[in-house]
Amino acid sequence: MWVRSTLNVLPVVAAALSGGWGALAIWYQFPGETASRWIASIVWAAFVVALIVTAWVRRTGLPIGVYALCFMMLLAWWSTIAPSNHRDWADDVARSMTGDIDGSRVTLHNVRDFNWRSETDYDIRWETRQYDLDRLSGVDVILSSWGMPGIVHALMSFGFDDGSRVVLSVEVRRQRDKDFSSIGGFFKHFERTIVAADESDVIRLRTNVRGETDHLYHLQMSKQAMRALFVSYIREANELTVKPAFYNTATSNCVSIVYDMAKQIDPKLPYDYRLLLTAYLPSYLYQVGALDKRYPLAVLTAQGDITMRARATKPGDDFSRAIRTPPEPGL
């Protein structure tokens, strides 16, 4: 009796869950303006509810069979939605970073160096820069929180022994008329890009303009590993210019992509839920030995809070030095 009831309920539950996914997929991808997307999404949801109610009331599987056929048609349409490099992009992701590697010499094209006064008021600067991988001296991860529970954005800052730094970040490539949405990231709403930028651009944008909270952690990595990770970013960026890809909040986000790169360096690197719930990434890094274990994680986190240091900077300040200089005792 219990088994029979469960078998009757499971198709209904599956239809309800997949129907909800379909409503969101239509909302984010149906062509046209907001009104048409609302209408299409509501019609689909009403259709699914009607079939589920009919199946439940009449105790027949025919409506579920009809739904299954319609859902397969929805998936067929979904599979035709392809990523593109040719859209009306927002200014800060309008250009794609690419890199040329010649031995230890790397040339990065489209390095971003914007001067942000607000999210809508900024000076646009794109540059070509050269780096020597033999002079890599350290890698820091910056975790930026904008208030989403359990989620932060991760940026990798590569430092060189001449004092220069460049941040590489896997980011959402937004169209000019779209705002960021974590839910939209599950529904092919954004393409993926890799941004190369100055710290005074990409970090300051988050702390000083968007009001986010940032923590910096220095990673314990060999020069060989640092070099391999840097090159992995370049290869991924170059591949995206010829083979665009969607950003996915769960499977291809700012941390999961870095993990895939790091796995090429250390195949034994364990996968962990903290690569999805990125706010808990510091404990993962501490556990695998990527942070300095001479100090408790709580101390590293407190020392790594660069938010107020960043906000205290003024135009013309050495931003990278300022965020790494702790305040004097008593201040």
Side-chain angles (χ1 to χ4, degrees):
M1 183 78 172
W2 176 84
V3 173
R4 182 179 299 176
S5 298
T6 301
L7 291 176
N8 289 336
V9 169
L10 285 178
V12 172
V13 172
L17 293 176
S18 59
W21 177 90
L24 286 171
I26 292 171
W27 161 252
Y28 280 106
Q29 290 298 333
F30 194 79
E33 300 299 325
T34 302
S36 61
R37 291 189 287 117
W38 267 114
I39 293 170
S41 185
I42 291 172
V43 167
W44 168 265
F47 171 71
V48 172
V49 170
L51 288 177
I52 290 175
V53 170
T54 301
W56 188 258
V57 171
R58 298 188 178 182
R59 302 294 179 180
T60 174
L62 180 60
I64 299 300
V66 172
Y67 168 75
L69 178 62
C70 294
F71 187 69
M72 286 189 289
M73 294 172 63
L74 180 70
L75 290 179
W77 162 73
W78 181 255
S79 68
T80 66
I81 302 171
S84 173
N85 280 328
H86 306 290
R87 305 191 194 278
D88 183 20
W89 303 114
D91 287 335
D92 57 326
V93 289
R95 299 191 187 185
S96 298
M97 185 272 281
T98 59
D100 302 320
I101 304 173
D102 182 13
S104 67
R105 303 294 298 179
V106 170
T107 301
L108 295 185
H109 306 280
N110 297 323
V111 178
R112 202 180 77 197
D113 186 20
F114 282 26
N115 177 36
W116 297 89
R117 289 175 291 273
S118 72
E119 288 203 74
T120 57
D121 182 16
Y122 45 82
D123 300 319
I124 298 175
R125 287 195 298 264
W126 298 95
E127 299 180 353
T128 296
R129 298 184 182 178
Q130 291 188 331
Y131 302 93
D132 186 347
L133 296 180
D134 288 340
R135 303 187 68 177
L136 270 169
S137 60
V139 180
D140 298 331
V141 59
I142 296 94
L143 303 180
S144 190
S145 170
W146 64 95
M148 176 69 69
I151 303 296
V152 298
H153 182 71
L155 311 93
M156 305 293 285
S157 180
F158 292 83
F160 298 81
D161 62 14
D162 63 355
S164 63
R165 306 196 71 90
V166 63
V167 176
L168 301 180
S169 174
V170 178
E171 303 208 0
V172 163
R173 196 174 194 190
R174 303 174 347 272
Q175 294 182 55
R176 192 177 300 277
D177 60 344
K178 289 184 179 180
D179 294 324
F180 175 74
S181 164
S182 296
I183 296 176
F186 288 103
F187 294 96
K188 298 185 178 182
H189 198 50
F190 309 106
E191 273 78 6
R192 187 171 77 235
T193 189
I194 293 182
V195 169
D198 266 2
E199 289 188 334
S200 60
D201 170 339
V202 72
I203 297 176
R204 188 175 177 277
L205 167 64
R206 287 166 167 75
T207 55
N208 296 34
V209 176
R210 295 178 179 168
E212 298 179 9
T213 300
D214 282 24
H215 286 80
L216 182 150
Y217 298 87
H218 182 69
L219 299 180
Q220 306 289 299
M221 297 179 70
S222 67
K223 285 200 172 185
Q224 181 181 2
M226 288 189 284
R227 180 174 181 146
L229 183 58
F230 195 99
V231 169
S232 292
Y233 267 104
I234 296 173
R235 289 175 175 164
E236 173 76 10
N238 289 345
E239 183 176 353
L240 285 173
T241 63
V242 295
K243 187 180 179 182
F246 285 116
Y247 180 94
N248 186 284
T249 301
T251 61
S252 58
N253 57 40
C254 60
V255 175
S256 60
I257 297 298
V258 176
Y259 172 77
D260 291 340
M261 296 176 186
K263 281 282 284 185
Q264 300 175 34
I265 304 167
D266 181 3
K268 296 180 181 179
L269 196 65
Y271 193 81
D272 194 282
Y273 76 92
R274 289 166 289 187
L275 295 166
L276 296 177
L277 295 175
T278 48
Y280 305 102
L281 185 63
S283 64
Y284 172 81
L285 296 173
Y286 195 80
Q287 177 183 323
V288 299
L291 301 181
D292 190 346
K293 287 196 169 183
R294 293 178 300 171
Y295 305 96
L297 179 57
V299 171
L300 297 178
T301 298
Q303 292 177 343
D305 188 344
I306 62 172
T307 309
M308 298 312 296
R309 296 175 225 166
R311 292 176 184 170
T313 59
K314 300 180 291 295
D317 287 351
D318 185 337
F319 184 85
S320 294
R321 183 175 182 178
I323 63 175
R324 290 174 174 82
T325 302
E328 296 180 10
L331 296 182

